[in-house]
Each structure stands twice: as C-alpha cells, then as structure tokens.
Amino acid sequence: MIAEALGVFVCLFLLTFIGLGPALVLLPSGEKRVVYALGMAPTLGLAMVGLIGFSLVRYVAPVRVWAWPFVAFWAVVALGMVVWDRRRSGRAGERGSRGAEEQGSGGASAIRNPQSAIRNHVGVYTVAVALAFVLLCYAVLVSPLITEGIQYTIFRSNPSDAFYYMSLAETVRVADWKTIAGGIELSRSNWEGIKALARASPTALYTARAIGKPLELANPIAFSWAAQVTGIPVHRFYYAYHLLCFALALPLSLVIGDHLGLSRGLKYLAAAAVVLGFWARFVLETDAGYEISAISLFLLVVFAWMQLEGETPRPLSRRRLLLAIACAAMVAFYSPLAIVFVVALLCYYGLGLWQRVKSASAFLYHGLTALLVILIFLLSGQLGYIFRHILLAAFAAPGEARYEATVLGLIRSDGTAALWGLPSSVVFSALPVIAQVPLRILGDALGIGLTAILIAVALILVLRKSAPDGERIALAMLAGAFGLSLVLVVVDNARSAGKALTYVYPWLIFAVVLYPKYMRSHLTAPQQKLAVALLGLWLVAQCLVGAYLPYSQAQGSIFGRSERRKAESYDLSAIEMYLQQAQPELLLVHVPRDKDWTFAYYCMFVFARYPAHFQSGIIIDNSTEFQNLWFEDLTAVPDYTVVLKSVDYIGPGNLGTKVAETADLALYRITTDDVTPFVQAEALWKSEEAAKPPFPTLKGD
C-alpha cells in the first residue's frame, strides 16, 4: 500500500496549504510567528475542511465535486498571505537595516558580524535536524501501510465502527444531500428514497439512518476529502486517514513543546511519544475514528488557549477568533471533548481567581468565545444540526456504560505502568516469560517514578502563583480529564471514564516533562541526572513501543482481536487488477454473509465502483440477523461475476471461465447468453434470506 502511504504525505502538504493563510492571519506578530503558523497550519486546514465542507456537502455538491477546487482556492489564499507577510516583514527589515547602518553595523554582516553568520548556520542546522526528525517519525508511523497491507489496515479491533466511518465517508463523497436526506428513513413507505440512495452508494444504507439522528459529519467529510484528493478508494484509505490525523499532531506538538519552554531533546521526544506512543497505538487499535480525527484538533484548541492567555484580556482579538475556530472544529468533529475542555477551564480559572492571579473578566470573556463558536456554526449552516447532535449525545452518554471498559480494565490489571503507556500484559506479552519478569519490574518502577514526578509538578504549578500560563493550562487539562473520569466512575460509566483519560494523554506527556525546569530547587545534581534519565528512558520506550506494536504478536486488552476477526483474505488485488483492465458493463457480485457480515460488506465497497448487481442483497446492518435488501431484479446476463468460493455455482454450472481468484473469491468471465441460471440462483438466495426477520424499521409497512 505504497500509494496510501504517499497519500498521507500528499494530504499533509495540501492541508498545510489550506491552513497556512488563516494561520498567518490569526497568529500575532512575533519572532516565532511563521514557525508556529507552519506547525498549526495542517491541523487548521483539517478544521476548515470539516467546518466548511459540511456547508458544501449540504448546500452545494458531494465531496467528489468540490474537493480539488477547495484546495485550489485556499492555496491561492495561502500564497497571497505568504507574499503579504514577506513584504510586511521586508519593510520592517529595511527600517531595521537603515537603523543599523546609522549605527555603523550595516553592510556584509557575514563578514563584519561573524556571530550573525554563526547564528544563521545554527538556524539551518536546527531546521535540518527538525526536518529529519519529522520524516523519521512519519516513516515509523506509516510503515504498517507498506509492510502489513490491507489485511492489517481494513479494520483493527472494531469492524462495526470502521465500516461505519467508511460508509459515511463514501456516502458524502458520491451522493448529494437531497439523495442522502431522502434515504434517511429506512421504511417500506420510503422505498423509493432508500432505493435512490442505494443506487448512488450501495454501502450508504448501513449508516444513512444515523445521519438523521443526527451525528457529526465533519470527520466523514474530511475523510472523504482525503480519499478524493489522493484518488484512493475510501476503504483503502481508512487506516491511512487515521495515521494522517496523528501525523497532523506532530508539528503541533513540537510547537506546543517550544511554547512550554522544553529543552530541544525533550521537545522532540515528547512530540514523538504523542504520535507514536502506546496510547496513540491503543486509540488506533480501537477504530475510534471520531476521537482519532480530533487528536490534533484538541491540541490546537489548547494551543490557541495558551496563545490567548499571553495577551491582556479583551473581548475580541485574533487569538480569541483562533480559539473559537478551533473549538468549533472540536465540537463538529467530536463533541465529547468539549466537556473536558470546559472542566479544564473551570479548574484553571478557579485556581487563578482564588490565588488572585487571574481577573474575572478573563474568564467571563470566554462567553464571547462561545458566542463566536455559535456564530461560526450559524454562518456555516449547521447550528441546528450541531445542537440536535449535542442533545442526542447527552442522552446517549449513559448507554456507554453497557460496553467494555478497556482503558480502566487495562489500568486495573497493570497499575501505574499502564497509565504511562507500558502495560506489561500487552507490551511484553509476546516475549518469553523469563524476559517478561525483569521488564515488568522496570515498567512498574518507571510508572511509580513518573507518577511521583507528576505529583511534584502539579504541586509546584499549583503553589507557585508565578508559574507560566501555558504550564498551568497543561495541568488544568489533566485535572479536567481526571476529575471528569472520577465522576464517571462514581456514576458507574467506566467506559466513558477511561476514554476521558485517552483524550488528554498528550498532556500527561507534556506535564511530566516540565519537571526538569523545576527540579534544581529540591534535587541534588546526581538526583537531577537520574530524573532526566528516567524521563528520557520513558519517552524513548514510548517511541519504541509505538514502532513495535504493529509488528508484534501482542495479545491482551484490545490487541490481537483484529487478526482473530479476519478469517477471510481481504487482499482482493488479483481480482481488482483484472477488473480495472476489463471494465465490466455489468458485474454480478455474489458474496453472501455467512457466520459474519464484515467480509461481505467489505466486498460491497470494493466492487461498488463498477456497474454492479449484488445478487446476495444490500447489507444494511452489522449483523447476520436481518434480511438483506434487493431493489432491482436481474434482467440481463452479466459479463463478469465475483462469487464466494463456498457458494460458487458459476464454475460447476459451466457458466463462465475463471480469470482471477483470491483465497475466498473467484472472478469469472461469463460465457453463457442465458440469464435463467442467474435468476434462479438469486431467487434461491432470496428465499433463504426470507427466513430471517426484516430489519425492525421495515416491519409492519
């Protein structure tokens, strides 16, 4: 899947172009303005695709129509802003040069001022090191696409959620809003509406009814956009899109580390741990698409908050607008994060007001931030939609308690080592027992030591009124998540409590690596070296764990479930390559659900791009319990047929010649002119499906 790996880099480049212009406008002037703008531009680009894309899908056209014009427009804006910024910087530089010449320091600075030349050389070296570091992290991040292939990437531990996101993305990519809205009601009385939607996108009926609830569409729209601009089918770009979302977090994490004043080594290692560490892989393994899409957006929200705290409190400013845009994107992509953010705000300003280091106006002005968020939703035509979704999410939240609490379960079994991303039951499970024992002891020691460091940092930042705002904000994010998690445990919703912790794992990293800034006041020199070594060892271990897990045979918690769910071979490249050359006029697809629905539904994604008739019906649910749907009768002889080998009637009936195959499927070029055998086979399958109950909303019509 080299094309998919390259697609990640293409999207990174395009999102940077989309977000660079607005980033330059929204950040105030300063020495690091351009660097910070480059760091946040890709994530801001993602926010813009999701926020503006909703309006385009709802009122203009499907994603496939506007994906590239959208890029072109914002690329022109970005180039214009860069030119404007350079000219403005140039005028400022000319004024500075004239002043320097008057003082006798102008001319050839490289000769007259060797210190300046050295600084320029160091600057180039710093950029080269940073670029090499970013490329190395990205290479590690995307490597499973190349080495493991579609069998690994099609879904991880949760196929229902994975195909849910694919279905939504494909729907908004190819179907206009009128068709989507017409197919939301899954009932016999709306047969023509769902038939029209199935004609536009056969895989859409799996999730169309959820759009009417409604649900967040910013993430599926961004996913669809990424697949469209790279020219890669949605089902093949699914895992690559999730890796892209983590890739966006890397430059933003570097910017945040710089803003927090971390040393260069800790800044790089902390950013790598955010993107590659255990909790990053854990979230990827859960197929938590909405949470994954918002990883970098949540970082952008907090970075914008840090920027806002750096100015004198006032009602409106560019920094407040940046925070409002980031918050709007956060809510549009994954609204539960807003709860953690609000609790963190209360913690931060509550402490600041109590210690009299924050004014009440600074807190109250966030009412204007909220109004700006509402205005953004209003102008983009999604205020009512978002409001109804938030109400739905609030009422549905208690239902999360029914599901497995994987995060807290892991922490209960492995203790503090799991909290810090070194759960022995997962990370060391594939190693010989004799090697596991010392590693478990080391992991426990690291967990206890890091917990002690976090407590020390928390006490320092709480007690020192002069602590920088950015550092207190990082601590407030942890306080908000841990406090919310505790409340959820009390109300017996352990699953949501654990998820709240995964939302802020980057701030667990950033908070603990602040310790070297404060340890000189209470540690001896040898103790300081030990503390730095402990932090470095842990961060390196996180990066190694992230590089190791995709290739390991790790079992435990959610790891290892994916491979157990994939009995069939999802690599259909032999058949796909043949069909790409043949371009069938009518492709008959007969891949019925057997004991599981996932492979049959996956085949719908693969073959729906051709003029296809699904002989075993359209799958509308993540089970084998209910009937499939048929909207058209087969009236013509297909020129090609894809059939599941276990129910193959083409070869035994001498109806065609096998031209390609995989472990589970066979592709035939049909040689008969008689449609009767195909019609009879379809009637037989329909009679078998009729023994199942219809989907609940289709009963009684």
Side-chain angles (χ1 to χ4, degrees):
M1 300 177 69
I2 296 176
E4 288 77 3
L6 293 175
V8 173
F9 293 96
V10 169
C11 289
L12 272 169
F13 178 76
L14 295 179
L15 288 173
T16 301
F17 253 112
I18 291 171
L20 184 57
L24 288 170
V25 171
L26 294 170
L27 284 176
S29 300
E31 180 183 355
K32 297 181 178 180
R33 174 168 169 262
V34 174
V35 174
Y36 282 12
L38 286 170
M40 61 180 267
T43 299
L44 188 57
L46 179 72
M48 293 165 62
V49 171
L51 288 172
I52 302 173
F54 180 91
S55 303
L56 295 174
V57 166
R58 191 169 186 179
Y59 301 111
V60 180
V63 173
R64 60 184 171 85
V65 175
W66 55 260
W68 273 111
F70 184 89
V71 173
F73 173 80
W74 287 106
V76 171
V77 171
L79 288 172
M81 288 305 307
V82 169
V83 171
W84 173 79
D85 190 68
R86 289 291 298 272
R87 286 181 176 177
R88 189 180 68 166
S89 300
R91 287 194 295 269
E94 288 174 6
R95 289 193 296 269
S97 295
R98 286 195 296 269
E101 288 172 4
E102 292 174 0
Q103 297 175 23
S105 57
S109 60
I111 298 174
R112 301 178 188 177
N113 190 353
Q115 290 182 348
S116 176
I118 293 172
R119 283 197 300 269
N120 290 336
H121 175 74
V122 172
V124 172
Y125 175 78
T126 301
V127 170
V129 170
L131 184 60
F133 164 78
V134 169
L135 291 177
L136 176 61
C137 289
Y138 283 160
V140 173
L141 185 66
V142 304
S143 60
L145 289 170
I146 300 172
T147 60
E148 302 300 290
I150 192 69
Q151 191 72 15
Y152 178 90
T153 64
I154 186 58
F155 63 82
R156 298 307 302 143
S157 68
N158 192 340
S160 293
D161 280 6
F163 285 120
Y164 187 85
Y165 305 130
M166 292 181 220
S167 173
L168 288 171
E170 182 66 8
T171 300
V172 298
R173 190 185 74 84
V174 301
D176 60 71
W177 188 259
K178 181 180 179 181
T179 303
I180 294 171
I184 285 174
E185 182 187 343
L186 188 62
S187 65
R188 292 288 176 183
S189 60
N190 189 40
W191 193 253
E192 290 302 315
I194 59 178
K195 179 180 177 180
L197 181 57
R199 189 180 295 119
S201 176
T203 57
L205 299 187
Y206 178 66
T207 53
R209 55 191 178 274
I211 296 176
K213 288 183 177 180
L215 52 78
E216 296 146 316
L217 285 179
N219 175 45
I221 288 170
F223 175 16
S224 177
W225 171 87
Q228 182 66 33
V229 296
T230 56
I232 298 171
V234 162
H235 67 277
R236 292 191 65 88
F237 204 67
Y238 164 73
Y239 194 75
Y241 171 69
H242 284 179
L243 295 181
L244 169 65
C245 293
F246 276 96
L248 299 177
L250 184 63
L252 193 49
S253 295
L254 288 171
V255 165
I256 290 170
D258 185 82
H259 183 78
L260 291 173
L262 300 180
S263 66
R264 182 181 300 175
L266 287 179
K267 177 175 65 177
Y268 286 162
L269 287 175
V274 168
V275 176
L276 299 176
F278 172 80
W279 285 113
R281 290 295 180 186
F282 183 93
V283 175
L284 276 168
E285 199 73 11
T286 62
D287 291 292
Y290 280 114
E291 180 181 351
I292 291 168
S293 71
I295 289 288
S296 64
L297 291 170
F298 205 20
L299 290 172
L300 179 62
V301 167
V302 183
F303 175 67
W305 180 16
M306 290 177 177
Q307 290 290 303
L308 183 62
E309 289 299 313
E311 68 179 15
T312 303
R314 49 180 168 161
L316 293 175
S317 66
R318 287 184 290 174
R319 300 185 193 193
R320 191 172 302 280
L321 181 57
L322 172 61
L323 178 60
I325 293 171
C327 286
M330 173 184 67
V331 172
F333 274 78
Y334 191 49
S335 57
L337 295 177
I339 303 173
V340 177
F341 180 62
V342 169
V343 176
L345 279 173
L346 295 175
C347 292
Y348 176 80
Y349 286 107
L351 178 62
L353 290 171
W354 178 60
Q355 294 181 332
R356 297 182 180 180
V357 295
K358 288 294 169 185
S359 64
S361 60
F363 174 67
L364 294 176
Y365 282 155
H366 280 295
L368 294 173
T369 308
L371 288 177
L372 286 172
V373 171
I374 293 172
L375 182 62
I376 291 169
F377 286 139
L378 181 64
L379 293 176
S380 60
Q382 53 186 311
L383 180 60
Y385 191 92
I386 291 291
F387 180 72
R388 293 197 306 274
H389 166 73
I390 291 174
L391 287 178
L392 170 71
F395 284 110
E400 286 285 305
R402 301 194 307 265
Y403 301 103
E404 180 185 7
T406 52
V407 176
L408 289 191
L410 190 61
I411 294 174
R412 289 192 191 104
S413 66
D414 291 320
T416 56
L419 178 65
W420 296 99
L422 294 172
S424 56
S425 63
V426 174
V427 177
F428 309 135
S429 62
L431 300 177
V433 176
I434 193 172
Q436 290 186 29
V437 174
L439 289 174
R440 285 174 185 266
I441 295 172
L442 178 61
D444 290 338
L446 273 172
I448 294 170
L450 290 167
T451 302
I453 288 176
L454 178 63
I455 293 172
V457 170
L459 289 173
I460 291 169
L461 295 180
V462 168
L463 296 176
R464 289 193 180 184
K465 296 181 181 181
S466 60
D469 291 326
E471 297 178 9
R472 282 196 160 195
I473 287 173
L475 182 65
M477 294 304 301
L478 289 180
F482 277 85
L484 180 62
S485 181
L486 181 61
V487 171
L488 290 169
V489 168
V490 171
V491 299
D492 199 27
N493 194 339
R495 177 180 173 85
S496 295
K499 286 180 72 68
L501 298 180
T502 65
Y503 300 159
V504 296
Y505 79 84
W507 301 107
L508 196 66
I509 295 169
F510 285 124
V512 78
V513 296
L514 290 172
Y515 186 60
K517 296 177 65 175
Y518 298 101
M519 63 185 180
R520 294 180 182 86
S521 63
H522 57 278
L523 292 184
T524 63
Q527 289 173 335
Q528 292 176 32
K529 292 180 180 179
L530 179 61
V532 172
L534 179 69
L535 289 173
L537 176 63
W538 169 62
L539 290 171
V540 170
Q542 285 298 290
C543 298
L544 293 176
V545 164
Y548 158 77
L549 280 175
Y551 308 101
S552 72
Q553 300 298 318
Q555 303 290 324
S557 186
I558 59 171
F559 292 89
R561 295 182 184 180
S562 173
E563 283 60 39
R564 295 193 293 270
R565 292 291 303 269
K566 298 172 183 174
E568 299 86 0
S569 172
Y570 284 78
D571 183 4
L572 308 184
S573 55
I575 293 177
E576 291 182 81
M577 291 173 60
Y578 191 95
L579 289 175
Q580 191 65 27
Q581 295 294 324
Q583 289 298 310
E585 295 181 6
L586 177 60
L587 176 66
L588 185 68
V589 180
H590 185 51
V591 185
R593 298 172 297 173
D594 188 13
K595 295 179 181 179
D596 194 21
W597 60 276
T598 54
F599 183 68
Y601 188 63
Y602 167 73
C603 289
M604 288 180 59
F605 273 102
V606 174
F607 301 120
R609 66 178 117 164
Y610 304 103
H613 178 84
F614 294 95
Q615 188 169 45
S616 48
I618 302 292
I619 297 172
I620 62 171
D621 186 48
N622 60 339
S623 73
T624 59
E625 180 180 355
F626 303 110
Q627 298 174 10
N628 286 344
L629 298 183
W630 286 262
F631 298 99
E632 306 282 356
D633 293 326
L634 184 65
T635 58
V637 178
D639 45 348
Y640 288 90
T641 294
V642 174
V643 61
L644 189 67
K645 287 182 177 180
S646 60
V647 294
D648 184 3
Y649 66 92
I650 306 298
N654 295 317
L655 302 177
T657 302
K658 185 186 295 184
V659 292
E661 65 179 327
T662 66
D664 305 285
L665 302 180
L667 174 66
Y668 289 92
R669 184 175 64 248
I670 301 304
T671 54
T672 182
D673 295 328
D674 187 6
V675 74
T676 303
F678 304 100
V679 173
Q680 290 175 342
E682 187 165 309
L684 178 62
W685 191 255
K686 284 182 178 179
S687 66
E688 292 185 17
E689 281 284 298
K692 300 177 181 178
F695 194 77
T697 60
L698 294 169
K699 293 179 180 178
D701 286 334

